[in-house]
Amino acid sequence: MRKPTHADAQLLLHLYEIRREPELRQARAWFLTEFKPTGWAEIKSRYITHSDEDRHFRMTVSYWEMVGTLVNRGLLQPELFFDHTGEDIVTWDRCKPWIAEARADLRPNYLHQFETMVQNHLAYRAKGIAAYQAAQQRKVAAAAARPRVRRGRR
């Protein structure tokens, strides 16, 4: 994987600025705390109605689909992005119960970039956790293998 560049850092910071925009911040908070649909049919009838909830729904999923596209296409170095957030994973977990119905209704690749990014993020996170745990075990083993030096009493 290529090393992150200054342009990657600039893009990451710009995406962070977009996330801080008040309306998107409110939309993301709503999606993670209040949005609890029972399925795609409820989303269509209750949330896709040109209301504030409709705007919040669309803003949130389209933001993450856009980020997924940038990450998956290599315009933003994935590991740099994955190192700084986990909100994508939590947000995708909220989409999983209804995504199959939405894809059957809308198009088979609806939110595909978002899903792919999260799958790659989870794999990256698992690899990082495994590497961290292995390093910790090596430290413990190295410490246990060192001879203990007894100091005499004075």
Side-chain angles (χ1 to χ4, degrees):
M1 178 151 306
R2 72 175 175 82
K3 284 185 154 189
T5 65
H6 185 71
D8 288 310
Q10 286 181 314
L11 180 54
L12 182 65
L13 291 171
H14 183 65
L15 290 172
Y16 183 74
E17 287 174 21
I18 292 170
R19 283 177 60 192
R20 292 180 56 223
E21 188 276 324
E23 190 165 5
L24 181 56
R25 181 171 279 190
Q26 182 181 3
R28 289 174 23 252
W30 170 84
F31 197 91
L32 293 175
T33 60
E34 297 176 40
F35 178 65
K36 298 175 182 164
T38 57
W40 179 245
E42 181 185 352
I43 293 170
K44 283 177 60 173
S45 66
R46 181 175 174 192
Y47 298 110
I48 302 182
T49 58
H50 304 290
S51 64
D52 285 344
E53 292 174 330
D54 173 44
R55 192 169 61 252
H56 293 337
F57 173 80
R58 291 175 191 265
M59 286 182 80
T60 301
V61 298
S62 66
Y63 173 80
W64 288 112
E65 181 73 355
M66 176 189 68
V67 173
T69 300
L70 295 171
V71 170
N72 298 339
R73 302 252 182 223
L75 296 171
L76 175 58
Q77 203 269 359
E79 293 176 355
L80 181 67
F81 177 76
F82 297 157
D83 281 342
H84 107 283
T85 189
E87 185 180 338
D88 57 314
I89 296 169
V90 176
T91 304
W92 180 252
D93 281 345
R94 302 290 298 225
C95 298
K96 287 194 297 192
W98 51 263
I99 193 63
E101 293 173 17
R103 287 177 173 161
D105 186 44
L106 298 173
R107 65 183 182 279
N109 64 344
Y110 179 62
L111 301 182
H112 171 72
Q113 296 293 337
F114 182 19
E115 179 182 29
T116 299
M117 176 184 67
V118 170
Q119 289 170 344
N120 292 336
H121 191 165
L122 289 169
Y124 174 78
R125 186 176 273 186
K127 183 179 171 184
I129 289 169
Y132 174 80
Q133 290 172 332
Q136 293 300 102
Q137 289 173 350
R138 285 191 299 274
K139 282 183 185 178
V140 169
R146 270 188 240 127
R148 294 182 185 226
V149 178
R150 291 189 171 204
R151 297 182 187 216
R153 293 186 185 190
R154 292 185 187 190

